[in-house]
Amino acid sequence: MARAPDPRIEEAKAMYLKGRKLIEIAQLLDLPEGTVRRWKSTHKWDSERSDKNSERSVKKKEHIKKGNRLLEDRRSETPELPEKQQLFCILYAKTLNAAQSYKKAYGCSYEAAVAAASRLLTNVKVREEVRRLKKERFESQLFDEHDIFQRYLDIATSSLTDYVDFGREEVPVISMTGPVTKKDPETGEEVPVTKEVNFVKFRDSSEVDGRMIKKVKMGKDGASIELYDAMKAMEWLAEHMSMGTAGQQGLAQSIIAAHRSRELQTEKRDQEGHNPEEEESNE
């Protein structure tokens, strides 16, 4: 049976015909640049990339830049939203998931974010900013270097606890004949016997940002989930800091600094817990 064509080929082709560079397409689709270059050659994309399309793309970019300048001028006349509200607006305009956007912006639990996000969206200034950002994204329709930078920011800040709940819980003990019971010494009634076990539960897909998931697979031992490598994302951010906006750069620097601080604390604890002189004296 013939293998189904990779849907990313058409997505990459569409970006190329709009004027994107191969390296940018590869970064957006998380692919080696050589793969995108091979697709371009194999499927003869250049034959469809006419001068008319290129000219239209240039005009559209000029229109976008002009529109963005007008938007920035308009915003300078009105007070800025608080930083966390602004971050919520940016995330919500992109994902349309209010609870998840609030959770990322404020660093709270998903349950708290559900109610808080609804309240925040009653704020007139927040609603206006979300509408403005949605309109801006709709009018641009083109990825730029800030979008690429934001993608790596999202990967660097993603956490496994955004996608799964885990811990310990009490469950009934089950034998081959059914639930195991015992007599309660106080009441004389039969009560179920329980035990404490580990558990892992996936969050519903409507609660999470699926773009951060690299792979979900089913195996003989159940389902597993793999996120994109946050460490590699932080390395990329450190090397391409100039691609981000001022706000993005500030957030990236905070993330990297916090990670390095945790690494230093871990190294310090390891050194304090490992004393070669004590080991020699014990011998």
Side-chain angles (χ1 to χ4, degrees):
M1 180 182 295
R3 187 167 55 180
D6 191 330
R8 293 175 298 179
I9 296 176
E10 288 302 317
E11 189 175 355
K13 176 182 175 182
M15 292 183 190
Y16 182 75
L17 294 180
K18 287 181 178 179
R20 305 308 298 172
K21 296 180 180 179
L22 296 181
I23 188 171
E24 295 172 337
I25 297 170
Q27 289 171 338
L28 287 168
L29 298 179
D30 194 29
L31 291 166
E33 184 183 351
T35 298
V36 181
R37 193 175 299 280
R38 175 168 52 81
W39 287 348
K40 178 180 81 75
S41 176
T42 302
H43 299 282
K44 297 179 173 58
W45 294 349
D46 281 330
S47 63
E48 300 181 43
R49 191 175 185 177
S50 66
D51 293 338
K52 184 177 180 181
N53 286 336
S54 299
E55 184 179 341
R56 186 185 302 121
S57 178
V58 170
K59 288 182 178 179
K60 188 170 185 180
K61 287 181 180 179
E62 291 174 350
H63 173 72
I64 292 165
K65 289 180 181 179
K66 182 179 179 181
N68 287 345
R69 285 196 298 270
L70 291 173
L71 286 167
E72 288 301 320
D73 291 342
R74 189 184 69 184
R75 287 192 64 191
S76 64
E77 297 172 359
T78 58
E80 289 279 351
L81 287 171
E83 183 179 347
K84 290 185 177 180
Q85 288 187 6
Q86 181 67 37
L87 180 56
F88 167 80
C89 292
I90 293 170
L91 294 170
Y92 181 59
K94 181 182 294 185
T95 66
L96 301 182
N97 187 323
Q100 193 66 26
S101 300
Y102 191 96
K103 180 176 179 292
K104 280 188 173 292
Y106 286 83
C108 63
S109 68
Y110 182 81
E111 291 72 18
V114 172
S118 297
R119 289 197 300 271
L120 186 56
L121 285 172
T122 63
N123 183 310
V124 175
K125 289 184 178 179
V126 169
R127 291 204 307 272
E128 289 178 351
E129 178 65 0
V130 169
R131 280 196 293 269
R132 186 190 71 79
L133 289 167
K134 284 182 179 178
K135 182 180 179 182
E136 185 177 325
R137 288 186 64 82
F138 177 78
E139 289 177 346
S140 67
Q141 290 296 306
L142 290 173
F143 287 107
D144 59 19
E145 59 186 13
H146 303 325
D147 293 303
I148 299 170
F149 197 89
Q150 185 62 49
R151 174 71 182 274
Y152 280 91
L153 266 178
D154 292 340
I155 293 173
T157 55
S158 64
S159 168
L160 192 60
T161 52
D162 293 337
Y163 300 88
V164 299
D165 292 315
F166 56 87
R168 294 183 63 79
E169 63 182 355
E170 291 282 337
V171 299
V173 176
I174 306 296
S175 68
M176 294 182 65
T177 58
V180 177
T181 61
K182 65 179 181 180
K183 184 174 289 187
D184 188 316
E186 295 183 0
T187 64
E189 297 180 353
E190 290 292 322
V191 294
V193 176
T194 62
K195 62 180 179 179
E196 192 176 57
V197 299
N198 297 326
F199 74 87
V200 177
K201 298 177 181 177
F202 286 93
R203 292 183 181 272
D204 190 89
S205 60
S206 63
E207 298 181 8
V208 302
D209 184 355
R211 297 172 304 158
M212 301 301 104
I213 299 176
K214 183 177 182 180
K215 185 190 302 180
V216 176
K217 64 179 181 180
M218 293 294 296
K220 63 179 182 179
D221 298 323
S224 64
I225 184 171
E226 180 183 352
L227 303 182
Y228 286 103
D229 193 324
M231 287 293 298
K232 289 183 179 179
M234 279 188 273
E235 291 173 3
W236 187 94
L237 290 168
E239 294 174 0
H240 300 82
M241 193 66 70
S242 61
M243 289 176 61
T245 63
Q248 288 175 328
Q249 290 180 26
L251 181 56
Q253 289 167 351
S254 298
I255 293 167
I256 294 169
H259 173 72
R260 288 174 178 167
S261 176
R262 287 194 298 269
E263 282 188 328
L264 290 173
Q265 290 175 1
T266 301
E267 289 177 6
K268 184 178 179 180
R269 285 197 300 267
D270 291 343
Q271 291 172 358
E272 291 175 348
H274 177 70
N275 191 327
E277 294 181 0
E278 289 182 3
E279 290 182 359
E280 289 178 5
S281 63
N282 289 336
E283 292 177 357

